[in-house]
Amino acid sequence: MTGPAPRRGGFVFLDPEQGRVLRVVPFQYNPDGVTRTLQPRGIGADAGDRLEALRLQGPPRETFRIDAEFDATDRPAPAGGPAPPAASGLYGMLSALETAVAPTGAQLTRQNDLAGQGILEIAPAQAPLPVLVLGAHRVLPVRMLDLDVTEEAYDGELNPIRARVTLTVRVLTVDDVGFGHRAGGLYLQYQQGRERFAALVGYGPGAVGYAGG
């Protein structure tokens, strides 16, 4: 008897205003490793006022670097649905990621039409909100910083059928979007979850040989 299928990570792209799901891009294979960087945001310069040495200005700048692999010849079918069409290889999957970092054709056309009328649109085009899902405890609103695609094999129509994708994303915090934004709510849930898990580490000072002073 086989156990449940392993949980797969990936991205969920949301409408930033209404919160509805626009598209889901799961990782075909969960990454073997993820590089995370947290940069604390202190007050002032390193050699500043001694009273400010331990003060934090806000949430740290947290980035994730993820290497994902995709193979059109080993692509699973969605649960309860038909297998994805194989005629275009990985073109659809890669396009779903790439369109998340570009204005849509409709947005570009609108900007061009407004410019032709002498109207300057103050607010730039808004992209979907990417939510990085890495298990139940990491559901993170992010901004994509880099998308590096290495296509390694093609079919007879030059559609990519095997590719490695390296994604670098930065976690969006309440400082970026505010408390009322959907991304701000997701960040608060993520941070509060970390605090709950941190509280479970109940070692005493003697575990590291600290005698106090």
Side-chain angles (χ1 to χ4, degrees):
M1 183 176 179
T2 60
R7 184 189 296 268
R8 285 197 291 165
F11 286 91
V12 178
F13 295 96
L14 303 179
D15 181 303
E17 296 180 354
Q18 301 177 5
R20 61 187 176 89
V21 176
L22 301 176
R23 72 179 72 92
V24 178
V25 183
F27 296 137
Q28 187 172 354
Y29 313 104
N30 282 333
D32 291 330
V34 174
T35 301
R36 300 170 53 229
T37 302
L38 284 83
Q39 295 178 305
R41 297 174 55 209
I43 297 290
D46 291 340
D49 189 336
R50 293 177 182 178
L51 296 177
E52 308 296 338
L54 298 180
R55 296 188 184 276
L56 297 174
Q57 191 175 29
R61 291 185 175 90
E62 184 173 4
T63 58
F64 282 68
R65 186 176 183 275
I66 303 165
D67 293 314
E69 297 183 4
F70 297 92
D71 190 334
T73 63
D74 189 31
R75 185 168 45 184
S88 59
L90 293 173
Y91 195 73
M93 185 68 73
L94 297 179
S95 295
L97 291 171
E98 292 164 8
T99 53
V101 295
T104 66
Q107 288 170 331
L108 293 173
T109 300
R110 171 178 167 79
Q111 290 175 346
N112 182 65
D113 290 343
L114 291 175
Q117 300 170 30
I119 301 173
L120 179 63
E121 190 171 23
I122 297 176
Q126 187 167 204
L129 169 63
V131 178
L132 174 62
V133 180
L134 293 174
H137 305 302
R138 287 178 178 164
V139 180
L140 314 167
V142 298
R143 178 179 182 179
M144 288 195 172
L145 301 181
D146 284 300
L147 181 62
D148 185 10
V149 181
T150 302
E151 298 175 357
E152 298 179 324
Y154 301 88
D155 63 16
E157 299 297 324
L158 281 181
N159 294 308
I161 58 174
R162 190 169 68 246
R164 286 187 294 109
V165 179
T166 299
L167 301 121
T168 303
V169 301
R170 181 173 70 82
V171 177
L172 293 174
T173 74
V174 290
D175 278 3
D176 296 309
V177 297
F179 286 82
H181 194 281
R182 189 168 302 275
L186 288 172
Y187 176 77
L188 280 178
Q189 292 176 19
Y190 168 57
Q191 175 60 23
Q192 290 164 353
R194 285 199 294 198
E195 293 167 5
R196 287 194 296 270
F197 275 96
L200 298 177
V201 181
Y203 296 105
V208 292
Y210 177 71

